[in-house]
């Protein structure tokens, strides 16, 4: 532990209090109050995986958080990847450490024999006939694949050689008795050694080629990085049948691999040299091919360049084929999409994309399936006469669902809405397995079910099931969650009799699973009996509040009040607002109600709810919409003004309700919420303190766009300057706690953002503290770091808000 405490010391840089600089030269990991620590370390409720027949349930349990020592193990950071150097897997993954089978009909739980000691399971997949379950188990030195038999309740390791799952997926079922996966081709210990003396400098050059790009972390920087990336990612594809591993083709760097539904061909995409120094591995040049089951190339589909030349703009794409995939409703029919506008959405054309297909044996000409007037997204295949086709425009926040009827080449529009219009989301088609074991739309008598697991409405989230009529092109809701609870359909067991498995919760009841009929008055049959992991939160009041900002846009937030607090007694509480701004192209969508006040209160490491145990009122998920005021403007054109209106509306509502002390309000957020926090402190005097975690504060460091902003710095330099709290660091006098993961991998939120903002505020006499958490990325994971983070936040709120002088 001492080594990590010392490391933390170096990253707790300085504190500025009362305009004096204090060096932090000796601090150990700190513990927050017991109520907070107990909430963080509470055992999580198991995750559940259910077969489509409703016969079996797999209960998956995980421990809370790894230690900082586990997080601090060596890793390779190259090509945008973070790799465990010892076992050919990505580092920083989450695992299950206990798996249990439960028979849904008998309610009997079965212990699985043969599970590895110190189980670290992930990548769970049911076999097509759902009589087996596969998973990977990760050890210090290897990744192995196990198969659980639902007949014998035993888990058996099936691979002979360790898997390589760094890139290109993990494994896939090949029928009910075989698995396809990639294996390592050399011991990890034989990876190339980094030379002390390089052959020369690393040089990048561009000669007249337009290559705008986002900011990425952990890119290839040297020839040694290239060798290391190739060594760690090159693998051999194999087919394991009854324990025998048969090689498929030669070793390669596989970006993807997928067998055709009839299991006669494989779609493979392999990465080619030279490797890019500007984009991560998923943007490297590649080759898309169809091979037979021995790895022989049957058809070369495309040679794709690197993503370096992808044009900026959210709906612009490279002028190359994309979205290669097999049709799930055919034996071996490959589909893909190509732009008809040279990849530039601004070009005036009737159709922007076309979708093509080529069937086995792949010797004929491609055939056009349909064209889209917007950008093609994806297709959910049904039967030989229907498919669900989705297109959209991110920049205009529009999505459209079409009906494709064979063999016609045109699409019939079913639904069109703004992506921010939650009320009119129809949901997703309910699927079933076809003769190939692939998920396709479950069409019965020209109708099928749509499942909306959110079900946003003016009364809050009320999930629903609707019945869509293909001929009438209409859907009718046949079941909806009752008000007073939050319940959604997990699995449709029998679409004819509307038998389903649901997950239901209320304010007081922990989420549990039920078997029921949603047709008629069928009762609930409880399948699980999970108990409250957070007993200390009992008695805390929660409510979804609604309030209106100055320009008339309605807002909502989730309000939590301390146990024992009684309103209208004259007692005023300190308030912590936690939020994340979102952009909208119209005011009506921004004002929609999101979330449910009938959910059971759960808590994650990132939650602000810990501080309701410390006497704070907490307004979580406070709506912070940034809305386009007219067609000539974009949402960010008055970003600061709208942030202030949102914050003022929340504070005014709670002050006028007699709940909150206006002089004891704090604001906080993570990532873009941290960006929001720093801006509010720079431009308003509404708050006593702020907490900003892992944010970006200087938008010139993301010059080719950020969030939903697609204008570049050179197109809108004033906007970038005005939206950057770094530009106004001299005005940030409200105490600000900056927290950042030491090795934040998220594009745009590199730790230099917090380092430079800290220095700028300090240089102008502000009150600021910067905490850099060892080994953490954009999302924090280590137990010691999380406990310390909660302590830092609690101390900050106590000192500058709760106990601050008026």
């Amino acid at each position: 532990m001492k080594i990590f405490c010392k490391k933390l010391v170096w990253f707790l840089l300085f504190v500025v209090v009362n305009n004096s600089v204090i060096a932090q030269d000796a601090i150990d990991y700190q513990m927050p109050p017991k109520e907070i620590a107990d909430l963080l370390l509470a055992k999580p409720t198991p995750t559940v995986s259910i077969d489509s027949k409703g016969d079996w349930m797999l209960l998956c349990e995980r421990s809370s958080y790894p230690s900082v020592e586990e997080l601090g193990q060596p890793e390779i950071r190259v090509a945008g990847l973070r790799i465990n150097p010892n076992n050919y897997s990505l580092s920083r993954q989450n695992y299950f450490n206990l798996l249990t089978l439960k028979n849904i009909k008998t309610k009997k739980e079965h212990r699985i024999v043969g599970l590895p000691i110190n189980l670290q399971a992930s990548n769970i997949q049911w076999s097509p006939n759902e009589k087996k379950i596969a998973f990977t188990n990760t050890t210090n030195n290897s990744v192995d694949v196990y198969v659980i038999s639902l007949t014998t309740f035993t888990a058996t390791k099936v691979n002979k050689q360790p898997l390589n799952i760094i890139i290109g997926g993990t494994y896939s079922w090949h029928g009910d008795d075989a698995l396809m996966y990639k294996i390592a081709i050399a011991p990890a210990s034989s990876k190339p050694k980094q030379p002390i003396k390089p052959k020369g400098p690393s040089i990048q050059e561009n000669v007249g080629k337009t290559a705008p790009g986002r900011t990425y972390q952990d890119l290839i920087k040297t020839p040694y990085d290239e060798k290391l990336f190739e060594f760690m990612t090159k693998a051999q594809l194999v087919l394991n049948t009854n324990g025998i591993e048969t090689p498929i083709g030669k070793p390669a760097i596989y970006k993807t691999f997928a067998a055709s539904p009839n299991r006669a061909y494989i779609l493979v995409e392999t990465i080619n040299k030279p490797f890019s120094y500007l984009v991560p591995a998923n943007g490297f040049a590649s080759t898309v091919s169809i091979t037979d089951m021995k790895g022989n190339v049957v058809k070369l589909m495309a040679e794709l360049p690197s993503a370096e030349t992808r044009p900026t703009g959210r709906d612009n794409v490279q002028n190359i084929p994309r979205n290669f995939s097999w049709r799930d409703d055919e034996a071996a029919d490959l589909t893909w999409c190509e732009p008809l506008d040279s990849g530039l959405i601004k070009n005036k054309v009737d159709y922007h994309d076309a979708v093509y297909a080529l069937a086995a044996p792949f010797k004929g000409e491609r055939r056009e399936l349909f064209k889209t007037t917007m950008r093609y997204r994806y297709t959910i295949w049904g039967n030989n006469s229907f498919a669900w086709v989705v297109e959209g425009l991110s920049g205009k926040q529009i999505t459209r669902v079409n009906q494709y009827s064979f063999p016609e080449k045109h699409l019939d529009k079913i639904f069109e809405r703004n992506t921010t219009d939650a009320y009119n989301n129809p949901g997703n088609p309910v699927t079933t397995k076809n003769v190939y074991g692939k998920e396709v739309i479950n069409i019965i008598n020209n109708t099928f079910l749509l499942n909306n697991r959110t079900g946003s409405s003016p009364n809050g989230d009320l999930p629903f099931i609707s019945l869509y009529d293909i001929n009438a092109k209409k859907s009718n809701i046949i079941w909806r969650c009752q008000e007073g609870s939050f319940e959604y359909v997990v699995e449709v067991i029998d679409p004819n009799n509307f038998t389903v498995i649901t997950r239901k919760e209320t304010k007081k009841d922990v989420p549990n699973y039920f078997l029921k009929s949603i047709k008629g008055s069928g009762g609930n049959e409880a399948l699980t009996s999970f108990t409250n992991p957070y007993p200390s939160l009992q008695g805390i009041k929660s409510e979804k509040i609604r309030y209106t900002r100055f320009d008339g846009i309605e807002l909502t937030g989730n309000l939590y009040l301390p146990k024992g607090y009684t309103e209208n007694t004259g007692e005023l509480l300190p308030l912590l607002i936690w939020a994340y701004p979102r952009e909208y192209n119209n005011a009506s969508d921004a004002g929609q109600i999101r979330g449910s006040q009938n959910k059971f209160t759960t808590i994650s490491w990132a939650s602000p709810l810990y501080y309701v145990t410390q006497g704070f009122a907490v307004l979580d998920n406070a709506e912070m919409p940034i809305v386009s005021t007219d067609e000539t403007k974009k949402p960010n054109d008055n970003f600061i003004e709208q942030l202030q209106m949102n914050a003022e509306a929340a504070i005014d509502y709670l002050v006028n309700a007699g709940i909150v002390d206006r002089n004891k309000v704090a604001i906080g957020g993570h990532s873009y919420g941290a960006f929001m926090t720093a801006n509010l402190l720079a431009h308003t005097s509404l708050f006593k303190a702020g907490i900003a975690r892992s944010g970006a504060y200087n938008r010139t460091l993301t010059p080719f766009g950020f969030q939903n902003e697609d204008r570049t710095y050179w197109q809108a330099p004033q906007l970038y300057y005005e939206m950057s709290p770094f530009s106004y660091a001299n005005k940030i006098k409200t105490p600000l706690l900056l927290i950042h993961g030491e090795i934040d991998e998220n594009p745009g939120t590199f730790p230099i953002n917090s380092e430079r903002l800290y220095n700028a505020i300090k240089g102008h006499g502000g009150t600021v503290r910067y905490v850099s958490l060892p080994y953490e990325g954009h999302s924090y994971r280590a137990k010691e770091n999380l406990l310390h983070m909660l302590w830092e936040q609690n101390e900050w709120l106590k000192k500058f808000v709760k106990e601050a002088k008026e």
Side-chain angles (χ1 to χ4, degrees):
M1 173 65 78
K2 289 183 179 179
I3 187 171
F4 300 109
C5 296
K6 289 180 179 178
K7 186 171 182 64
L8 183 65
V9 168
W10 285 101
F11 289 97
L12 291 172
L13 300 178
F14 297 97
V15 175
V16 179
V17 181
N18 298 324
N19 295 323
S20 61
V21 180
I22 303 173
Q24 294 292 97
D25 60 354
I27 185 170
D28 293 340
Y29 276 112
Q30 300 295 308
M31 285 288 290
K34 185 177 185 301
E35 304 96 321
I36 292 178
D38 288 348
L39 287 172
L40 177 76
L41 301 178
K43 184 178 180 181
T45 300
T47 299
V48 169
S49 178
I50 302 171
D51 73 343
S52 64
K53 303 169 189 174
D55 293 334
W56 290 97
M57 173 185 292
L58 183 68
L59 302 173
C60 311
E61 299 183 41
R62 68 170 84 245
S63 58
S64 52
Y65 302 100
S67 69
V68 71
E69 186 170 9
E70 292 175 88
L71 200 64
Q73 295 304 302
E75 66 180 355
I76 295 170
R77 302 171 199 156
V78 67
L81 304 171
R82 295 191 169 179
I83 301 169
N84 185 319
N86 301 316
N87 63 9
Y88 288 105
S89 75
L90 295 176
S91 57
R92 303 169 179 274
Q93 303 302 297
N94 295 317
Y95 303 107
F96 297 112
N97 53 27
L98 181 62
L99 302 176
T100 306
L101 279 167
K102 184 174 183 176
N103 187 296
I104 290 177
K105 291 183 173 62
T106 66
K107 307 294 188 299
K108 183 178 179 181
E109 293 190 4
H110 297 268
R111 184 176 69 89
I112 301 171
V113 178
L115 290 175
I117 300 173
N118 299 321
L119 177 68
Q120 293 194 108
S122 59
N123 304 305
I124 295 171
Q125 294 184 34
W126 296 76
S127 63
N129 65 7
E130 298 182 326
K131 293 182 179 179
K132 299 174 183 177
I133 304 172
F135 67 89
T136 58
N137 182 63
T138 302
T139 70
N140 291 336
N141 301 310
S142 68
V143 177
D144 303 303
V145 61
Y146 283 73
V147 172
I148 302 170
S149 167
L150 272 66
T151 303
T152 62
F153 312 119
T154 58
T156 306
K157 176 186 167 185
V158 298
N159 62 298
K160 304 300 181 184
Q161 298 297 322
L163 274 64
N164 184 327
I165 62 171
I166 291 172
I167 193 172
T170 52
Y171 67 89
S172 62
W173 282 99
H174 196 75
D176 295 313
D177 299 307
L179 293 165
M180 189 185 303
Y181 50 81
K182 299 175 281 90
I183 59 172
I185 58 176
S189 58
S190 63
K191 59 182 171 292
K193 306 291 185 184
Q194 183 169 13
I196 296 176
K197 180 182 177 181
K199 292 182 178 180
S202 297
I203 298 173
Q204 299 181 54
E205 182 179 17
N206 187 70
V207 182
K209 179 176 68 174
T210 302
R214 298 182 69 186
T215 52
Y216 296 103
Q217 190 70 288
D218 304 329
L219 297 178
I220 287 178
K221 298 181 179 68
T222 66
Y224 169 74
D225 287 346
E226 296 183 55
K227 292 181 181 179
L228 188 60
F229 169 76
E230 182 177 13
F231 176 87
M232 295 302 300
T233 56
K234 183 174 283 189
Q236 174 66 58
L237 188 63
V238 300
L239 181 66
N240 184 318
T241 307
N242 298 320
I244 299 174
E245 293 177 339
T246 303
I248 301 173
K250 297 179 180 179
I253 302 175
Y254 287 91
K255 191 174 180 180
T256 59
F257 64 93
S260 59
N262 67 354
R263 305 194 297 277
Y265 303 95
I266 308 173
L267 171 66
V268 296
E269 183 174 0
T270 54
I271 288 176
N272 303 326
K273 294 180 178 179
F275 304 137
S276 173
Y277 282 42
L278 296 177
V279 295
N282 59 11
F284 287 2
S286 62
T287 299
V288 179
S289 305
I290 299 171
T291 75
D292 60 20
M293 291 308 300
K294 293 183 179 179
N296 301 311
V297 175
V298 175
K299 178 73 174 180
L300 175 64
M301 294 302 302
E303 295 282 0
L304 303 178
S306 82
E308 291 180 10
T309 58
R310 183 187 184 279
T312 59
R314 302 191 64 213
D315 293 302
N316 293 330
V317 296
Q318 287 180 282
N319 192 24
I320 58 176
R322 68 183 195 277
N323 290 31
F324 288 92
S325 64
W326 297 109
R327 277 182 59 166
D328 292 320
D329 62 331
E330 294 287 348
D333 202 2
L334 187 69
T335 66
W336 70 95
C337 150
E338 295 183 15
L340 300 176
D341 55 7
S342 299
L344 301 177
I345 202 68
K346 68 179 181 180
N347 289 341
K348 303 297 183 182
V349 293
D350 292 334
Y351 298 96
H352 286 278
D353 282 337
V355 174
Y356 302 96
L358 184 64
F362 314 108
K363 294 182 179 180
E365 293 295 321
R366 70 181 188 182
R367 63 190 192 280
E368 180 186 299
L369 296 183
F370 51 80
K371 298 175 183 176
T372 59
T373 59
M374 294 183 273
R375 280 284 174 247
Y376 171 70
R377 300 301 189 212
Y378 61 89
T379 298
I380 303 176
W381 300 98
N383 53 26
N384 57 8
S385 63
F386 179 86
W388 174 279
V389 179
V390 180
E391 58 181 305
L393 290 174
S394 298
K396 294 185 176 180
Q397 296 182 336
I398 296 175
T399 185
R400 179 187 296 165
V401 176
N402 304 292
Q403 175 175 311
Y404 173 54
S405 302
F406 311 114
E408 302 172 10
K409 289 187 177 182
H410 72 275
L411 302 174
D412 292 324
K413 182 174 70 175
I414 302 175
F415 306 105
E416 181 171 323
R417 65 182 180 90
N418 289 337
T419 54
T420 54
D421 178 9
Y423 290 174
N424 290 302
N425 185 345
N428 296 306
V430 172
T431 61
T432 187
K433 287 185 172 65
N434 63 8
V435 293
Y436 304 114
K438 300 296 182 181
E439 294 287 341
V440 295
I441 300 173
N442 193 2
I443 301 172
I444 303 173
N445 297 325
N446 277 328
T447 65
F448 59 88
L449 297 176
L450 290 170
N451 186 4
N452 189 321
R453 294 186 176 187
T454 303
S456 297
S457 79
N459 295 321
D461 289 352
L462 297 170
F464 63 82
I465 291 283
S466 63
L467 184 66
Y468 180 78
D469 188 308
I470 293 175
N471 296 327
K473 298 179 183 176
K474 291 183 179 179
S475 64
N476 294 303
I477 294 177
I478 60 174
W479 171 86
R480 189 154 207 163
C481 166
Q482 294 182 351
E483 292 191 36
S485 66
F486 181 80
E487 182 177 21
Y488 65 83
V489 172
V490 176
E491 193 74 51
V492 176
I493 304 302
D494 183 350
N496 291 303
N497 296 311
F498 300 102
T499 304
V500 301
I501 291 177
T502 67
R503 182 182 185 271
K504 182 179 180 180
E505 61 189 291
T506 69
K507 278 187 178 183
K508 296 182 179 180
D509 299 317
V510 177
N512 272 293
Y513 293 81
F514 298 86
L515 179 67
K516 65 187 298 181
S517 172
I518 58 174
K519 186 177 182 180
S521 57
N524 287 349
E525 180 184 347
L527 303 180
T528 58
S529 55
F530 301 137
T531 57
N532 184 1
Y534 313 113
S536 64
L537 289 182
Q538 290 180 351
I540 287 172
K541 181 181 178 181
S542 63
E543 176 188 3
K544 179 167 283 294
I545 61 171
R546 306 181 186 188
Y547 49 98
T548 305
R549 78 181 196 184
F550 180 76
D551 60 358
I553 292 179
E554 295 184 355
L555 306 175
T556 64
N558 301 326
L559 178 64
Y560 298 86
L561 300 176
K563 186 186 306 183
Y565 175 76
T566 304
E567 298 178 48
N568 303 316
T569 62
E571 180 186 0
L572 299 181
L573 298 173
L575 170 67
L576 171 60
I577 298 176
W578 203 264
Y580 190 98
R582 301 185 189 281
E583 296 92 341
Y584 297 87
N585 283 338
N586 63 78
S588 60
D589 289 355
Q592 290 185 355
I593 306 300
R594 290 171 175 81
S596 170
Q597 65 177 356
N598 299 307
K599 285 187 175 182
F600 181 79
T601 300
T602 58
I603 193 165
S604 72
W605 69 266
S607 173
L609 299 190
Y610 296 97
Y611 304 103
V612 77
T613 68
Q614 305 303 301
F616 276 80
V618 175
L619 184 62
D620 192 18
N621 291 319
E623 292 285 353
M624 289 279 174
I626 308 299
V627 186
S628 176
T629 54
D630 59 59
E631 293 183 358
T632 64
K633 291 187 176 182
K634 294 191 175 185
N636 285 336
D637 288 346
N638 55 350
F639 179 83
I640 303 300
E641 177 187 348
Q642 294 197 59
L643 276 187
Q644 183 169 348
M645 281 195 293
N646 295 327
E648 286 176 341
I651 295 170
D652 287 347
Y653 175 85
L654 292 172
V655 168
N656 293 335
I659 297 173
V660 164
D661 184 342
R662 185 184 295 276
N663 297 313
K664 292 190 175 183
V665 181
I667 182 72
H670 190 93
S671 194
Y672 208 53
F675 174 70
M676 167 205 73
T677 296
N679 265 307
L680 282 169
L681 298 195
H683 297 283
T684 76
S685 56
L686 296 171
F687 304 99
K688 295 292 286 186
I691 299 172
R693 294 195 316 236
S694 296
Y697 309 112
N698 185 344
R699 297 277 47 137
T700 66
L701 297 177
T702 54
F704 288 104
F706 55 92
Q707 292 295 106
N708 291 320
E709 180 56 65
D710 56 7
R711 290 169 289 186
T712 71
Y713 166 76
W714 297 274
Q715 293 170 326
Q718 191 66 24
L719 175 81
Y720 275 67
Y721 177 86
E722 291 177 353
M723 285 186 68
S724 298
F726 181 82
S727 303
Y728 303 93
N730 60 316
K731 296 184 178 181
I732 298 178
K733 302 304 179 183
T734 302
L736 176 60
L737 174 62
L738 293 167
I739 303 176
H740 219 116
E742 171 195 4
I743 48 175
D744 191 333
E745 78 286 3
N746 185 54
T749 57
F750 300 163
I752 192 174
N753 279 277
S754 290
E755 294 168 7
R756 293 296 182 262
L757 183 61
Y758 167 79
N759 284 325
I761 296 173
K762 174 175 67 73
H764 288 91
T767 300
V768 62
R769 181 177 176 93
Y770 173 40
V771 180
S772 182
L773 299 174
Y775 308 122
E776 297 290 1
H778 193 62
S779 179
Y780 313 153
R781 300 184 68 235
K783 178 174 62 177
E784 295 91 337
N785 283 335
L786 294 175
L787 289 167
H788 187 91
M789 176 201 76
L790 293 171
W791 175 80
E792 291 278 0
Q793 294 178 166
N794 186 62
E795 292 298 307
W796 201 256
L797 292 171
K798 183 170 63 174
K799 181 173 183 177
F800 292 109
V801 183
K802 188 177 181 181
E803 298 177 357
K805 296 180 180 179
E806 297 294 336

